[in-house]
Amino acid sequence: MSQTFTTRPEVRGTFGAVSSTHWLGSAVGFGVLERGGNAFDAAVATGFVLQIVEPHLNGPGGEVPILFHAAGAARPRVLCGQGVAPQAATIDRLLGEGIDRMPGTGLVPAVVPGAFDAWMLLLRDYGTMRLSEVLDPAIGYAERGFPLAYRAAASIHAGAAFFQREWPTSAAVWTPGGTPPRPGARFATPAIAKTYRRVLVEAEAVGTDRDAQIEAAREAFYRGFVAEAIHRSMQTPISDGLGEHRAGLLTADDMAGWRGATYEDTISVPIGDVSVHKAGPWSQGPAFLQSLRLLEGVDLEDMDRDGPGFVHWVVETMKLALADRDAFLGDPDHVDVPLERLLSVEYAAERRASIGDAASMSFRPGAATPDWAERRDTLLSHVGDPAPPAGIGLGEPTFADLPEVEGDTVHLDVVDRWGNLVSATPSGGWLQSSPAVAELGFSVTTRGQMFWLDPSLPGALGPGRRPRTTLTPTLITRDGQPYLGIGTPGGDQQEQWTLSTFLRIFQQRLTLQAAIDAPQFHTAHYISSFFPRGFTPGVLHIEDRFPEATRRALAERGHVVMEQPGWTLGRVCAAGFADGMVRAAATPRYMQAYAVGR
């Protein structure tokens, strides 16, 4: 491994490790390992704590994709905690109401919140601890308080006036006493604690059997008091991201009728001596695998890791992969996705040949289906204004009076001494996504904003469909065994930041921490997955820690270079195994993420 300066040591040991986007989540997860729990118990406890301590980035009403490899299992698996669109959510209905683009906030884009069910299934099927043991830390922080991170406080501040004017239930939760909290202040969310305490009461009422309690908790959430409260909250019209007052479409029947979180096979490609695993085409995971295929034919190892050649090739590759993402990916239960073609060596060679020395300014999906050109033109016809009027709910999740918040969600990776590995990217139900449900204290996910209102597109809205989400953890195996879990918040940037970090680890041979600490970059040359669905050709965001000569050379190649302050792009976390030990690392950016292990 290359030796270089890092902001922190790479955590190594033989017992276990947790890396997450908030130090309290990591500490709680490692505490579970210390008490004898396995990686699955620790991941569930960490996931619930992150809902509390990073409320601007995820919440109890959100979703989560989970990749995991159980020790001794033949292969890794996916647990899809992405909920579906309501039965009333039809394109004709929304178009009839004058909606031609899904709003980013409010009630209309709400879908079934899938995170709770996914965590319950992971705990039931692979964990060892009782429900109360993994929920207690989150309940404790919600009841007694936690130090409010700067960016969480900033998000509340930016939305406070809107909450007080339009979303009074959110004002009650996030501005108690009418005043936004200060960064670092002790802040509590007792309504969420009360909700989870009631879930526990109903779970434990069925007796002492662990699995029966977990099933009762699922019942309380999806067919009991939680579903009923969400149903009631959807009935009153409220202001949304389009400036209109509308009621929601999600009902208690939608909650009860959802089949629940599902186990699936990963999709994967071999790269060198490892195999890279992602979730299916309901996520943007295939774009990552396609990018690796495209870069197989490029000699990146001999390129300067901070030079213009490396950045150019990664950026131009991602432009092609993200164009294919938008043109071809969707819920495979409802649309045909040409995965075999997209991930083939032959298709990668065709696509690679289109990359030149100059930056592309075109939206260029490839010929993966016969109607690829029609899909391209249709998508471009629906693109929104990339610089819309200021307001709540524009992007994910960003406010007009703040610098852009690049971290849209949270991430966690856990490994244990038995050889289990979990990688998950929880999101949704942000405090600024929709009004807090009065009886519950949390918001419902608006992931439905990723649907298109055009039936010809694979990401089209439809009852029971999963939106094509940006959430995309990565799991890597070596010789069939779990090797590394890695991921980052960042919406459309997730695959980009993970890709550059992956390449620095596996091609440039940096340690986990050195790769995570390295200067970051990403292209904005894609159709945004979030309202208002803008497209900014050629834009390249790059940290100013890159050499000036690199930034100048990239501009000379035609990239629209947008310099960003150092240490502001990406929030990558990782944990895995190497040399008979566990290892973990976490980004220093925004001073929240932490890796803990021994």
Side-chain angles (χ1 to χ4, degrees):
M1 292 286 186
S2 300
Q3 297 299 311
T4 187
F5 170 79
T6 61
T7 58
R8 305 168 178 182
E10 178 175 291
V11 173
R12 289 208 171 203
T14 57
F15 179 78
V18 181
S19 179
S20 84
T21 49
H22 197 287
W23 70 90
L24 290 177
S26 298
V28 164
F30 192 74
V32 168
L33 296 180
E34 292 274 25
R35 295 198 304 275
N38 64 20
F40 303 103
D41 299 313
V44 175
T46 300
F48 278 120
V49 167
L50 292 178
Q51 293 176 0
I52 305 303
V53 299
E54 293 196 271
H56 58 311
L57 305 177
N58 79 139
E63 54 269 325
V64 61
I66 305 170
L67 269 63
F68 65 93
H69 200 309
R75 63 187 187 278
R77 301 297 307 278
V78 177
L79 182 50
C80 174
Q82 175 57 63
V84 300
Q87 289 301 305
T90 66
I91 291 175
D92 287 344
R93 175 168 180 165
L94 268 60
L95 292 177
E97 294 183 10
I99 301 174
D100 62 0
R101 182 175 293 114
M102 289 291 282
T105 60
L107 302 178
V108 171
V111 300
V112 175
F116 186 83
D117 202 56
W119 291 128
M120 290 300 98
L121 290 185
L122 193 70
L123 179 67
R124 184 195 69 185
D125 298 338
Y126 292 92
T128 63
M129 288 185 159
R130 306 187 75 83
L131 179 59
S132 60
E133 293 178 286
V134 297
L135 259 181
D136 276 349
I139 292 173
Y141 284 120
E143 278 184 339
R144 297 187 293 275
F146 55 93
L148 192 66
Y150 166 78
R151 295 177 83 78
S155 296
I156 295 170
H157 166 80
F162 179 86
F163 293 160
Q164 291 163 7
R165 185 176 68 251
E166 300 286 354
W167 295 358
T169 56
S170 292
V173 173
W174 304 111
T175 59
T179 303
R182 300 186 315 276
R186 185 170 176 171
F187 190 81
T189 48
I192 297 177
K194 182 179 178 181
T195 296
Y196 276 146
R197 282 212 178 278
R198 182 172 173 184
V199 168
L200 275 180
V201 167
E202 296 197 12
E204 293 173 348
V206 303
T208 59
D209 182 79
R210 175 182 173 275
D211 289 358
Q213 288 183 355
I214 293 172
E215 289 305 305
R218 297 175 71 200
E219 187 74 14
F221 200 97
Y222 291 96
R223 294 173 180 82
F225 79 96
V226 174
E228 291 166 1
I230 290 174
H231 177 96
R232 287 191 294 272
S233 75
M234 294 286 154
Q235 307 307 304
T236 303
I238 57 91
S239 179
D240 60 23
L242 299 177
E244 302 290 340
H245 284 72
R246 293 186 174 92
L249 306 174
L250 186 65
T251 68
D253 287 341
D254 293 313
M255 298 278 289
W258 182 47
R259 65 176 175 173
T262 52
Y263 290 107
E264 302 176 1
D265 291 331
T266 64
I267 59 172
S268 65
V269 298
I271 300 294
D273 62 348
V274 301
S275 292
V276 183
H277 300 262
K278 301 291 286 189
W282 50 267
S283 76
Q284 64 174 336
F288 187 88
L289 301 181
Q290 186 181 350
S291 297
L292 292 176
R293 282 286 199 215
L294 282 159
L295 290 170
E296 276 187 298
V298 182
D299 186 12
L300 296 177
E301 292 189 41
D302 291 335
M303 292 183 184
D304 179 355
R305 66 186 185 220
D306 292 335
F310 175 73
V311 176
H312 177 78
W313 268 101
V314 172
V315 164
E316 293 304 304
T317 293
M318 285 305 313
K319 289 178 183 179
L320 298 179
L322 292 173
D324 281 353
R325 175 199 73 174
D326 294 330
F328 305 116
L329 301 189
D331 186 345
D333 293 340
H334 295 270
V335 296
D336 292 328
V337 180
L339 266 184
E340 184 175 354
R341 169 74 168 153
L342 290 171
L343 300 183
S344 69
V345 173
E346 296 76 17
Y347 185 70
E350 293 174 18
R351 297 290 271 155
R352 189 184 310 117
S354 70
I355 297 177
D357 292 333
S360 170
M361 292 293 158
S362 301
F363 177 69
R364 299 189 295 169
T369 62
D371 65 341
W372 66 273
E374 290 88 345
R375 296 190 188 197
R376 175 198 62 200
D377 295 343
T378 300
L379 283 162
L380 289 174
S381 73
H382 291 302
V383 167
D385 183 353
I392 188 171
L394 304 179
E396 183 199 10
T398 302
F399 290 97
D401 63 344
L402 290 175
E404 185 175 355
V405 179
E406 294 289 0
D408 63 288
T409 180
V410 301
H411 183 80
L412 63 95
D413 300 292
V414 187
V415 290
D416 64 24
R417 64 188 185 275
W418 297 288
N420 299 304
L421 188 156
V422 182
S423 183
T425 309
S427 188
W430 321 299
L431 65 89
Q432 60 271 49
S433 62
S434 61
V437 180
E439 301 102 310
L440 306 177
F442 62 77
S443 302
V444 177
T445 175
T446 56
R447 189 62 56 173
Q449 67 180 287
M450 295 185 170
F451 285 118
W452 291 105
L453 300 184
D454 187 320
S456 70
L457 297 174
L461 174 67
R465 290 192 180 192
R466 290 174 286 186
R468 194 276 302 148
T469 180
T470 52
L471 306 175
T472 178
T474 303
L475 192 149
I476 299 163
T477 58
R478 174 170 278 169
D479 298 325
Q481 298 302 309
Y483 185 69
L484 185 68
I486 187 170
T488 177
D492 293 297
Q493 290 85 41
Q494 286 181 35
E495 299 294 30
Q496 302 190 62
W497 294 331
T498 302
L499 177 63
S500 60
T501 306
F502 174 94
L503 295 171
R504 293 185 188 281
I505 295 168
F506 289 96
Q507 291 199 344
Q508 298 172 352
R509 305 300 174 187
L510 297 182
T511 65
L512 293 185
Q513 192 64 53
I516 288 171
D517 283 354
Q520 272 287 8
F521 59 93
H522 69 267
T523 180
H525 182 108
Y526 51 77
I527 297 176
S528 174
S529 298
F530 304 94
F531 180 85
R533 314 303 294 268
F535 176 51
T536 52
V539 171
L540 168 61
H541 295 274
I542 185 167
E543 289 184 349
D544 61 14
R545 293 193 294 138
F546 274 92
E548 181 181 355
T550 294
R551 289 176 271 140
R552 183 171 60 251
L554 289 166
E556 290 170 355
R557 291 185 184 220
H559 296 280
V560 183
V561 175
M562 306 287 288
E563 294 183 11
Q564 304 297 322
W567 306 104
T568 58
L569 300 184
R571 293 176 68 205
V572 179
C573 295
F577 304 94
D579 306 320
M581 294 183 286
V582 300
R583 59 175 179 162
T587 183
R589 293 166 174 89
Y590 302 124
M591 302 300 290
Q592 282 186 212
Y594 233 84
V596 183
R598 69 170 177 85

